[in-house]
Amino acid sequence: MTTAEIEITALPGIADIAAEDWDAVACPEAAGGGRPADPFTTHRFLVALERSGSVGPGTGWQPRPLVAREGGRIIAAAPLYAKTHSQGEYIFDHNWAHAYERAGGRYYPKLQIAVPFTPATGRRFLTRPGEEAIGRAALIRGAVEIAGRSALSSLHVTFCTPDEAEAGARLGLLHRITQQFHWQNRGYATFADFLGDLSSRKRKAVRKERETAQAFGGTIRCLTGEQIEPRHWDAFWTFYQDTGSRKWGRPYLTRRAFTAFHETMRHDILLVLAERNGRPVAGALNFIGRDALFGRYWGCIEDHPCLHFELCYHQAIDWAIAQGLSRVEAGAQGEHKLARGYLPVPIHSLHWFADPGLGDAVSRYLDAERRATDEEIEVLTAYGPFRRGGSCE
């Protein structure tokens, strides 16, 4: 299809476009060997999901990456998927689906511009620098046209940036605001500096928690790049299966996905392992961005007090400070993160519905939800762990 001289194409998969062409719009900041803002829209990450069978036939995530060309040159792209369920998205629309289907509608399949299984904010409309406005508009119009032509119920753009959310709203999409908990680096040189910003009670609680966790009877190691060995993935796969079966019914990623991450992304990964008697007993998987650490998965084969908090939150903060990163995004939900220095931040998504009645109902819901979310963020921030008058005020 064409949109005002721009040709829009939905490809069968990320593997159908060359890595250098995709990454030219996905992570132009990484040209010349730099680190991308986040690794999740890079060709190597998305193609790992495809080639490992984590997305594709039978998963409910059918890749349809969208590419916009002007004069044969790619100016924009988006990781688009046809979805037959709402699993692995973390911006929840199950209630919308149930209500629409009770009213006689057909909610699935739908279209989703997203990174599968990844609740991390990042660009979803991937454009060449300087062509953001025209690229975003072309991608949105192209995706909406595909949804309408295919008689699909809706289009959703999840974990987009604030700028993208504003641009999408101006083009007629519904803007949703939810929340996560992120840790912000206020120029700390050490973990002790961060503790100094906490109230006395919270500071003592974190110290006690770390002491308890580190007394589990083993050692904790942070591994990245060539330090990560294939045997570490064997251990982490066991951890991941346990967590996945309890949280989602079945793990989203296949074992082959971790092999693919090792082959092409181990320099984008921080693996925190707790080892006891010579074997890993718990671990946390993080991805490394240019200025942020993204916590993704945790699991264990032994239960030890506070070890989850140590590996997922405290070690992540420690490592981020040492590397000079500005924040840690620790994944979806979890008010328990508040006591550990992670404050609420708004998360943005965009939504379009073919049925005007459904769109009107969702719009009213989002207005009320947005007010409630704003109030909750304000209240939670005020009751956060930082001392009054500290640097996080």
Side-chain angles (χ1 to χ4, degrees):
M1 76 185 69
T2 59
T3 302
E5 309 263 339
I6 297 176
E7 180 185 9
I8 309 293
T9 307
L11 301 175
I14 295 291
D16 289 85
I17 184 171
E20 58 270 23
D21 292 336
W22 180 270
D23 287 344
V25 294
C27 52
E29 71 277 6
R35 200 180 279 284
D38 73 73
F40 301 120
T41 54
T42 62
H43 190 275
R44 59 185 179 273
F45 183 84
L46 295 173
V47 83
L49 298 183
E50 289 184 12
R51 290 176 174 167
S52 67
S54 300
V55 301
T59 68
W61 287 86
Q62 191 59 43
R64 288 292 183 267
L66 210 56
V67 175
R69 291 181 174 88
E70 186 176 37
R73 183 179 72 116
I74 295 175
I75 64 165
L80 178 69
Y81 295 83
K83 292 294 307 295
T84 57
H85 54 62
S86 291
Q87 304 302 315
E89 296 171 6
Y90 302 97
I91 299 293
F92 301 111
D93 65 346
H94 301 83
N95 289 340
W96 305 346
H98 295 159
Y100 192 54
E101 290 175 352
R102 283 197 302 269
R106 183 168 177 252
Y107 196 78
Y108 304 107
K110 62 179 183 175
L111 289 183
Q112 191 96 11
I113 294 178
V115 177
F117 328 123
T118 306
T121 292
R123 292 192 308 132
R124 296 295 175 260
F125 304 117
L126 313 173
T127 64
R128 290 186 182 274
E131 302 192 65
E132 289 83 2
I134 189 172
R136 289 170 182 169
L139 292 170
I140 289 172
R141 290 168 184 153
V144 167
E145 184 175 334
I146 290 171
R149 192 181 65 227
S150 304
L152 303 182
S153 72
S154 51
L155 166 70
H156 309 266
V157 184
T158 46
F159 293 94
C160 59
T161 68
D163 287 348
E164 290 175 327
E166 291 179 10
R170 288 195 296 269
L171 291 169
L173 276 63
L174 301 179
H175 179 195
R176 186 178 193 182
I177 296 179
T178 52
Q179 71 169 11
Q180 277 186 348
F181 292 86
H182 296 175
W183 177 84
Q184 301 288 338
N185 189 345
R186 310 286 173 163
Y188 306 124
T190 65
F191 194 92
D193 291 342
F194 157 62
L195 287 181
D197 263 352
L198 302 184
S199 68
S200 175
R201 185 169 61 88
K202 294 298 185 182
R203 183 164 58 247
K204 291 175 182 177
V206 170
R207 283 174 176 159
K208 178 64 175 177
E209 189 168 84
R210 298 203 75 180
E211 290 171 2
T212 300
Q214 292 174 10
F216 77 101
T219 59
I220 296 172
R221 294 200 294 157
C222 293
L223 309 175
T224 189
E226 303 305 325
Q227 297 170 326
I228 303 174
E229 302 174 14
R231 64 184 179 89
H232 296 137
W233 293 116
D234 292 334
F236 193 81
W237 172 246
T238 302
F239 306 153
Y240 175 73
Q241 281 186 299
D242 177 67
T243 301
S245 63
R246 286 186 286 105
K247 281 192 173 184
W248 316 303
R250 68 175 183 84
Y252 292 139
L253 300 177
T254 66
R255 175 62 181 86
R256 286 177 291 160
F258 294 100
T259 298
F261 294 157
H262 180 78
E263 291 173 349
T264 63
M265 299 195 69
R266 57 185 179 273
H267 292 281
D268 300 299
I269 286 172
L270 172 70
L271 189 59
V272 184
L273 291 179
E275 299 176 337
R276 197 169 72 86
N277 297 327
R279 67 166 184 157
V281 299
L285 173 62
N286 305 266
F287 284 83
I288 307 166
R290 169 176 284 196
D291 204 31
L293 188 66
F294 301 90
R296 289 304 303 114
Y297 302 110
W298 140 271
C300 64
I301 57 173
E302 294 181 1
D303 291 323
H304 295 281
C306 303
L307 195 57
H308 169 254
F309 302 133
E310 175 65 19
L311 297 194
C312 293
Y313 308 134
H314 304 318
Q315 288 287 330
I317 290 173
D318 226 341
W319 197 86
I321 291 172
Q323 299 300 314
L325 302 182
S326 70
R327 71 187 187 279
V328 177
E329 298 190 18
Q333 303 173 305
E335 289 188 7
H336 61 279
K337 298 169 187 171
L338 187 67
R340 293 159 183 93
Y342 292 74
L343 294 179
V345 297
I347 299 298
H348 303 272
S349 59
L350 293 164
H351 308 271
W352 172 89
F353 299 93
D355 186 325
L358 177 58
D360 288 343
V362 171
S363 179
R364 291 192 297 273
Y365 169 82
L366 294 183
D367 287 342
E369 183 187 51
R370 188 178 302 112
R371 289 192 296 270
T373 299
D374 289 344
E375 292 174 4
E376 185 174 12
I377 288 175
E378 184 177 354
V379 169
L380 289 174
T381 300
Y383 282 92
F386 294 93
R387 56 187 172 84
R388 300 297 176 256
S391 62
C392 293
E393 292 297 311

